[in-house]
Amino acid sequence: MSGIYIHIPFCKQACHYCDFHFSTQLKKKVPMLGALKKELELRKNELGGEMVDTIYFGGGTPSVLETDEINALIETIYDNYQCTEQPEITLEANPDDLSGNRVAQLSKSPINRLSIGVQSFFEEDLKLMNRAHDAAEARSCIEEAKSHFDNISIDLIYGIPGMIDKRWLENIETALSYDLPHVSSYALTVEPKTALKKFIDKGIMDDVDDEQAQRQFYMLLEQLENRGYINYEISNFGKPGYFSRNNTSYWKGKTYLGIGPSAHSFDGKIRGWNVANNTLYIKSLEHGELPMEKETLSVKDQYNEYVMTGLRTVWGVSENKIASDFGPMYLEYFRQHAQKYLDSGHLQLETENWVATKKGKFLVDGIASDLFMINLES
């Protein structure tokens, strides 16, 4: 099974923390849609007949597209790729785009999963992040979505400067009150070249507090696990049967095509990425050229990527997979370097799988990087 990710590089306005590729100018939307369709057509043989099980519209803000425009892209996929009978088709959407009429329209389309960028249910947080929606829309859009969709996820952000633990707990409780099947939650990070970084550097805004973020992550973990959610990946919580098939395929190293400017593709050994420029992307496709660069990952790089993604998940890192895919030397290296985290209680060994403990979850990216193979040439 494989997946297709489509990057929609448009937003109504720029969130202060975002470093994804997007434009707030929609005047190139029509040629962009043509270029996306063209890329899908040009790359139809790359999956080698492998069935497409997930289609994911990300961005940017995919919900700025009209429903008919989304449907046309999905139709292009069905015309050029073999798809499973019921693929998971996710649309990332912002609350301000999800009016009652719009949700009803989407429910009649092939879209069967909504991922809603709520981020916070409080006005002060949304203004600080420069979100396009307000607190009332954050609440009302969920009610509208629930009336038409079963498979719904919302995003929440913790570690926001000025967001005390009490308000974060209220955010969690509000999210839980809707009894949604999936929640994704991320620590606010300060990325270079963002407005947030500039505000912090100028003293206009307080810096992110790592201790606050860690504390609020564990508040989230406790509250959601108590309500039956499984933390199947560090930033994702799903009820049984509602894990994101799209994201799970990424973490398990399955093949996916990334369509659109800045989108990445991966087949297990080769990674490709499109140019992060809307004008160049469109011009290349108009000339029938793919605006993509590629690199072949060494065995060492493949091992490092597996460790990074595996430790973030509930499935962990498999000793059998390391031995079979990378060789006994890699397994011995992993065991030697992972032992100290087993001794400290940050990792645990379940049969032959190394999994992050509750204590180790918030620190898992640093733990994974410490387990990378860095010296071996391969």
Side-chain angles (χ1 to χ4, degrees):
M1 299 294 182
S2 58
I4 295 177
Y5 169 84
I6 301 180
H7 187 83
I8 307 300
F10 301 115
C11 290
K12 291 180 179 177
Q13 64 188 49
C15 298
H16 289 330
Y17 58 88
C18 182
D19 72 338
F20 293 152
H21 172 69
F22 67 92
S23 171
T24 56
Q25 301 296 318
L26 272 67
K27 60 184 178 181
K28 293 182 180 178
K29 187 176 74 166
V30 172
M32 177 61 70
L33 290 170
L36 293 171
K37 293 175 186 176
K38 184 66 174 179
E39 186 182 2
L40 283 166
E41 292 167 356
L42 289 175
R43 301 181 67 187
K44 64 182 180 181
N45 295 322
E46 286 190 29
L47 296 180
E50 192 172 341
M51 300 289 282
V52 173
D53 186 50
T54 64
I55 301 168
Y56 192 99
F57 290 87
T61 309
S63 54
V64 301
L65 297 185
E66 300 295 331
T67 304
D68 287 347
E69 293 169 335
I70 296 169
N71 288 344
L73 289 170
I74 296 173
E75 184 177 347
T76 302
I77 293 173
Y78 275 99
D79 286 345
N80 290 278
Y81 299 83
Q82 292 181 283
C83 297
T84 56
E85 186 174 345
Q86 291 185 315
E88 176 189 86
I89 307 180
T90 301
L91 178 75
E92 287 185 355
N94 277 354
D96 47 298
D97 293 325
L98 295 180
S99 65
N101 288 339
R102 184 67 196 284
V103 174
Q105 278 185 357
L106 289 169
S107 70
K108 297 173 184 177
S109 78
I111 298 290
N112 52 34
R113 184 175 184 269
L114 290 180
S115 177
I116 306 174
V118 170
Q119 315 309 358
S120 176
F121 293 99
F122 289 90
E123 206 69 58
E124 51 265 57
D125 299 331
L126 298 172
K127 288 181 178 178
L128 181 147
M129 293 184 286
N130 200 39
R131 296 291 293 170
H133 67 278
D134 59 30
E137 288 171 320
R139 292 169 168 79
S140 64
C141 76
I142 298 175
E143 293 291 354
E144 294 290 353
K146 286 188 64 177
S147 66
H148 291 88
F149 284 86
D150 169 61
N151 200 350
I152 301 169
S153 178
I154 63 169
D155 287 357
L156 294 175
I157 293 180
Y158 57 89
I160 300 172
M163 185 172 70
I164 61 174
D165 291 351
K166 181 177 182 294
R167 189 156 86 235
W168 174 235
L169 183 59
E170 290 177 21
N171 255 322
I172 298 170
E173 290 172 345
T174 301
L176 289 172
S177 71
Y178 293 107
D179 194 30
L180 300 172
H182 193 281
V183 175
S184 296
S185 190
Y186 309 90
L188 182 67
T189 55
V190 183
E191 302 291 351
K193 300 180 181 180
T194 60
L196 177 62
K197 172 65 172 171
K198 294 176 183 177
F199 293 154
I200 292 172
D201 288 347
K202 293 179 179 180
I204 298 172
M205 188 181 299
D206 290 338
D207 200 352
V208 170
D209 183 337
D210 290 339
E211 290 185 3
Q212 173 196 347
Q214 181 170 355
R215 189 171 63 250
Q216 292 181 353
F217 168 76
Y218 284 112
M219 291 170 63
L220 174 77
L221 183 64
E222 180 180 7
Q223 294 296 317
L224 267 64
E225 286 188 338
N226 285 344
R227 289 289 291 270
Y229 291 84
I230 298 170
N231 183 213
Y232 67 101
E233 192 273 342
I234 297 301
S235 300
N236 288 271
F237 300 78
K239 292 185 176 180
Y242 287 93
F243 296 179
S244 167
R245 282 153 57 184
N246 173 80
N247 292 345
T248 298
S249 68
Y250 291 166
W251 300 317
K252 290 191 172 183
K254 294 184 179 180
T255 298
Y256 60 89
L257 294 185
I259 305 296
S262 80
H264 283 233
S265 304
F266 186 57
D267 68 359
K269 294 183 178 180
I270 299 174
R271 183 174 303 285
W273 57 94
N274 287 343
V275 62
N277 181 296
N278 289 359
T279 300
L280 292 178
Y281 175 81
I282 292 169
K283 286 184 176 179
S284 295
L285 269 304
E286 286 176 346
H287 290 91
E289 300 172 356
L290 292 174
M292 178 189 293
E293 294 184 52
K294 294 183 178 181
E295 67 171 343
T296 299
L297 300 185
S298 66
V299 174
K300 178 180 68 177
D301 290 337
Q302 293 174 49
Y303 161 84
N304 290 344
E305 181 144 333
Y306 173 62
V307 170
M308 173 61 78
T309 55
L311 282 183
R312 289 184 62 90
T313 73
V314 70
W315 304 284
V317 169
S318 163
E319 289 193 346
N320 287 342
K321 181 175 176 62
I322 293 177
S324 62
D325 290 8
F326 311 114
M329 180 176 59
Y330 279 87
L331 177 57
E332 182 60 25
Y333 179 91
F334 179 88
R335 284 173 171 170
Q336 286 180 359
H337 287 75
Q339 184 62 45
K340 62 184 176 183
Y341 295 109
L342 184 66
D343 296 339
S344 65
H346 290 90
L347 296 179
Q348 60 188 10
L349 186 56
E350 299 177 353
T351 311
E352 55 89 28
N353 292 326
W354 292 76
V355 180
T357 62
K358 182 175 181 180
K359 178 181 177 181
K361 282 189 173 185
F362 189 77
L363 306 172
V364 75
D365 286 346
I367 294 171
S369 64
D370 192 39
L371 301 177
F372 285 173
M373 179 77 77
I374 57 177
N375 297 319
L376 182 70
E377 294 296 330
S378 61

